[in-house]
Amino acid sequence: MQQIIYFIRKFRYFLLFILLETVAFIFIIQHHSYHKSKFVNSANSVTGGIYNTVSSVNDFFLLKSENERLIEENTQLKNLLNKRDINFNQITFKVNDSAKFGQKYEYTVAKIINNNYTNRNNSLTINKGTNQGITSDLGVINSKGIIGVTKSTSGNYTTVLSILNNNSKINVRLKNSNHFGTLIWNGKDYNILQLIDMPRQAQIKIGDTIITGGKSAIFPEGITIGTVKDFNFENNQYQNINIKLFNDMSAIGYVQIVKNLERIEQLNLENNTINE
Amino acid sequence: MNSLVVNNSFRFIGLVLLQVLVLNHVNLFGFLNPMIYIVWIFLFPIRKNKSLFLILSFLLGLTIDFFSDSGGINAAATLFIAFIRLPVLKAVLKKTDFDYLLFNLRAISFGKAFLFIIILTLIHHFIIFSLEYFSLNSINSIIYNTILTSGITIIISILGIILFSKKK
């Protein structure tokens, strides 16, 4: 016993180092697994509060680009409305009583208060949390494309796993055909993402538009993401398909969080099918 | 003694805020973000009671991690350079024992202080980028990022130390 105490006293400095280093590695490993990063994240009130204060100043400089984006989106929505009018005239449609009947997605607006895009694994912090009904695994988009998926939440803040992350895999498809692929990021340029798992039957051309596929329960189908910049076709396989994003990930201000109201229903059904 | 505590606390908070609010968004040439907070490690007084120093450096790294959502990467790297600071200093100065209380980074010759800072910064950045990429495939990116970011960090931290510390 005395030997052990002597040993601990003699090496306590080294043992303390090992102990703290182990704690740090536990945090790193927890952070890598998707749902467990409960402790070390910027969604708590101290870091979130500081970021919120600073971003209220930075906002001022983003006003111009944010306005331009809003005007663009307004034009797009007006065009959409006009198309609707024509359709309404042609076919009869019935009005449902219940306010939310048939509504599949619900959108919440949020402001980005911290944005990283130069690391290998990037994340963002937004100023809405569980008090506003945000949970983990919700899609985050803006009018030009997708931003990421929510990860950890606190009362008023949420961290978002950016699409510029090693752990991010988004189901996408070509706009003009129904071939699905997966969108990943190789960590080099924050405007260029990579498309993998494209079947060789797909006809890809430079300039083709990529949109979200409806396979996942997170993003609605048909959100535009970017265009094909270049690719190689070797051994009858598509390789190195680079996608240029419509979004400038370095300058995003306001985003929308998409809540899929039928998500639980869909996931339960899929789980049951797998288990059978 | 008391002013030492106040000084180091202010430096701690100041460096953390500078790092997370300004330097993490510098993006020089599109991707370089200097990590200046490790200056705190260089400047912390050397004493015989080293456990407190280890715990504080761990907390410094962890604070940066909280802000930048990086798990425990900064904590692990900062703790490691805090642990090897004294051996490195002894190797650089080629002394086995020196005056713990009177030690000051500005008091030793510029070349030796420079070497000391280079060694610790390179090790720190290498650990950070290895843990961030976490794959042997991207060893090229890790070394490339380590060298370039270290260069910026070393230049800014030496300028900062010369500007903001009193010469003995």
Side-chain angles (χ1 to χ4, degrees):
Chain A
M1 191 63 202
Q2 213 165 9
Q3 292 266 317
I4 296 173
I5 293 172
Y6 175 73
F7 177 81
I8 292 174
R9 278 179 68 89
K10 195 178 172 195
F11 289 102
R12 64 178 174 199
Y13 179 58
F14 184 66
L15 288 175
L16 180 70
F17 168 68
I18 295 292
L19 178 77
L20 291 177
E21 200 71 86
T22 318
V23 174
F25 272 92
I26 289 172
F27 285 148
I28 296 174
I29 292 163
Q30 272 194 348
H31 191 76
H32 274 270
S33 61
Y34 190 75
H35 282 290
K36 282 186 182 164
S37 58
K38 289 275 179 270
F39 184 56
V40 182
N41 60 56
S42 63
N44 60 60
S45 55
V46 179
T47 53
I50 291 176
Y51 276 144
N52 208 1
T53 317
V54 174
S55 93
S56 59
V57 178
N58 286 344
D59 260 6
F60 188 73
F61 300 102
L62 277 175
L63 278 179
K64 196 175 170 223
S65 62
E66 203 61 32
N67 271 335
E68 278 165 7
R69 201 181 57 75
L70 280 177
I71 291 169
E72 243 170 66
E73 193 178 4
N74 271 343
T75 325
Q76 219 176 336
L77 291 176
K78 265 184 189 158
N79 285 337
L80 213 65
L81 264 181
N82 282 335
K83 274 186 199 162
R84 270 281 162 80
D85 278 344
I86 299 164
N87 286 346
F88 285 160
N89 293 336
Q90 283 170 348
I91 49 163
T92 51
F93 63 99
K94 62 180 178 199
V95 180
N96 295 299
D97 281 347
S98 170
K100 278 190 176 176
F101 182 82
Q103 181 184 357
K104 194 175 174 191
Y105 296 102
E106 191 181 76
Y107 294 85
T108 316
V109 71
K111 193 173 85 180
I112 287 181
I113 55 173
N114 181 41
N115 180 14
N116 293 319
Y117 49 92
T118 50
N119 303 331
R120 178 68 185 92
N121 295 315
N122 297 292
S123 60
L124 308 103
T125 315
I126 52 175
N127 68 345
K128 291 277 163 70
T130 45
N131 293 350
Q132 288 83 25
I134 309 297
T135 55
S136 64
D137 278 339
L138 302 182
V140 179
I141 61 170
N142 70 2
S143 64
K144 285 188 175 175
I146 56 175
I147 312 286
V149 179
T150 58
K151 197 175 177 194
S152 313
T153 50
S154 72
N156 291 313
Y157 302 103
T158 304
T159 56
V160 178
L161 186 84
S162 169
I163 49 172
L164 306 177
N165 195 305
N166 202 13
N167 301 319
S168 157
K169 288 186 175 59
I170 310 283
N171 173 257
V172 295
R173 71 173 174 86
L174 293 173
K175 197 179 181 183
N176 53 10
S177 73
N178 270 327
H179 290 109
F180 287 99
T182 308
L183 194 69
I184 56 161
W185 189 51
N186 65 4
K188 295 217 166 69
D189 185 341
Y190 61 81
N191 279 322
I192 310 288
L193 271 78
Q194 280 69 41
L195 181 60
I196 55 166
D197 299 340
M198 267 326 258
R200 64 176 176 215
Q201 292 86 352
Q203 297 281 324
I204 302 181
K205 287 185 211 70
I206 289 175
D208 275 1
T209 309
I210 302 295
I211 60 176
T212 50
K215 265 187 181 176
S216 78
I218 295 177
F219 290 107
E221 190 177 355
I223 299 173
T224 51
I225 296 171
T227 52
V228 176
K229 187 167 169 267
D230 50 29
F231 62 88
N232 293 336
F233 192 72
E234 286 167 11
N235 302 331
N236 275 329
Q237 292 287 337
Y238 283 108
Q239 268 156 14
N240 307 322
I241 312 176
N242 286 319
I243 307 293
K244 172 101 173 61
L245 292 182
F246 291 131
N247 251 331
D248 180 2
M249 290 296 282
S250 63
I252 34 181
Y254 285 83
V255 292
Q256 285 132 17
I257 303 157
V258 191
K259 193 173 198 173
N260 185 347
L261 300 171
E262 292 167 3
R263 174 182 154 80
I264 294 166
E265 189 184 332
Q266 184 182 346
L267 287 185
N268 279 345
L269 188 67
E270 281 171 1
N271 280 341
N272 289 342
T273 321
I274 291 166
N275 290 340
E276 268 166 19
Chain B
M1 187 63 209
N2 217 350
S3 80
L4 212 62
V5 175
V6 174
N7 263 346
N8 277 296
S9 319
F10 269 116
R11 198 180 289 145
F12 189 105
I13 297 168
L15 280 173
V16 166
L17 289 181
L18 181 71
Q19 180 67 44
V20 298
L21 298 182
V22 181
L23 294 172
N24 273 356
H25 304 283
V26 166
N27 300 325
L28 198 63
F29 307 124
F31 63 98
L32 290 180
N33 288 327
M35 290 179 246
I36 300 301
Y37 67 93
I38 49 171
V39 167
W40 192 82
I41 307 281
F42 305 151
L43 293 179
F44 195 82
I46 291 171
R47 274 197 245 112
K48 294 226 162 160
N49 175 18
K50 299 174 289 186
S51 306
L52 178 72
F53 175 55
L54 271 195
I55 295 170
L56 285 176
S57 352
F58 177 72
L59 285 180
L60 174 68
L62 200 62
T63 320
I64 303 286
D65 279 326
F66 266 111
F67 277 101
S68 45
D69 284 308
S70 47
I73 292 172
N74 289 291
T78 314
L79 183 69
F80 189 78
I81 60 161
F83 183 71
I84 62 160
R85 182 180 72 152
L86 200 56
V88 167
L89 198 58
K90 277 176 181 168
V92 167
L93 293 179
K94 298 194 179 67
K95 276 184 200 169
T96 48
D97 195 28
F98 50 87
D99 197 343
Y100 282 101
L101 272 177
L102 284 176
F103 175 76
N104 181 324
L105 200 60
R106 293 298 303 277
I108 62 179
S109 75
F110 180 76
K112 282 172 176 170
F114 191 52
L115 190 64
F116 169 69
I117 290 175
I118 287 181
I119 293 172
L120 288 190
T121 312
L122 277 177
I123 293 174
H124 176 266
H125 285 30
F126 182 70
I127 296 175
I128 293 247
F129 286 114
S130 314
L131 289 174
E132 195 173 340
Y133 282 81
F134 215 74
S135 106
L136 271 180
N137 276 337
S138 32
I139 188 80
N140 286 336
S141 307
I142 293 173
I143 290 172
Y144 182 70
N145 273 322
T146 304
I147 291 172
L148 289 181
T149 314
S150 297
I152 305 286
T153 307
I154 289 165
I155 292 169
I156 298 182
S157 51
I158 285 177
L159 288 178
I161 292 171
I162 290 173
L163 279 175
F164 290 105
S165 66
K166 281 175 236 143
K167 190 156 190 172
K168 285 228 164 161

